[in-house]
Amino acid sequence: AQKVTQAQTEISVVEKEDVTLDCVYETRDTTYYLFWYKQPPSGELVFLIRRNSFDEQNEISGRYSWNFQKSTSSFNFTITASQVVDSAVYFCALSVRDYKLSFGAGTTVTVRA
Amino acid sequence: EAGVTQSPTHLIKTRGQQATLRCSPISGHTSVYWYQQALGLGLQFLLWYDEGEERNRGNFPPRFSGRQFPNYSSELNVNALELEDSALYLCASTSGLALAKNIQYFGAGTRLSVL
């Protein structure tokens, strides 16, 4: 069985601060895919990134960056210089051979002006 | 290009009734997934349809069912509604190739309230 743990329930920061969201996963499959999604108040899950188990290269996209470490089964997400528009619930998810997404509980990020 | 569309946006039912939720995938996508997001329970996988067939099912009772039509749109039916079925139901679609690695794109969901 797959399991994704997001230990942080809520994070509140002031605009321009950096925010790091932790994600720890468990799976016995050697081939798997990790995802981050953003859920704004409108409810729609917005895809942010996908990473496969064979690619540990970190990635940066604008103010977003991701740190994938297989040794610690972690896939952490950092928002640099946060903005009010970053306020949302962020979900980490895992997919293996059965194709479904197993989600973490989500982290609510509140960015105050 | 239109994204995943779900209807209705909101649905209010009473206990014991049946609810039907609809989903239209992104054009060209052949796989549809359904998830339930209930308060306190997080996002849970419900059903997966691909090429008109049910391929996988989450840990939900049989009164949760659905189907996928020839145009790849999908319907989720919930029979004998219970209060705990109140949740946001999200639909996602993927292109059907190399499914495990494919990105699932989500709709805005249907919020079902059972009174």
Side-chain angles (χ1 to χ4, degrees), chain B residues 3-48:
Chain B
V4 177
T5 57
Q6 293 186 244
S7 63
T9 306
H10 294 92
L11 192 57
I12 300 174
K13 295 286 186 178
T14 56
R15 200 167 44 182
Q17 285 187 316
Q18 178 197 35
T20 297
L21 289 63
R22 296 180 176 84
C23 172
S24 292
I26 291 172
S27 177
H29 285 190
T30 60
S31 274
V32 170
Y33 300 77
W34 288 94
Y35 293 85
Q36 182 197 64
Q37 187 175 24
L39 203 60
L41 295 177
L43 276 155
Q44 297 185 77
F45 167 73
L46 253 170
L47 289 160
W48 167 35

Side-chain angles (χ1 to χ4, degrees), chain A residues 65-86:
Chain A
S65 62
W66 291 269
N67 182 6
F68 176 30
Q69 292 192 330
K70 285 180 74 170
S71 60
T72 56
S73 297
S74 65
F75 186 41
N76 297 336
F77 172 33
T78 297
I79 304 173
T80 302
S82 61
Q83 299 176 2
V84 173
V85 293
D86 295 326

Side-chain angles (χ1 to χ4, degrees), chain A residues 2 25 27-33 52-54 68 70 95-97:
Chain A
Q2 279 57 245
Y25 62 92
T27 179
R28 292 184 179 178
D29 284 70
T30 55
T31 301
Y32 53 87
Y33 295 86
N52 74 56
S53 52
F54 300 108
F68 176 30
K70 285 180 74 170
S95 174
V96 295
R97 288 169 291 109

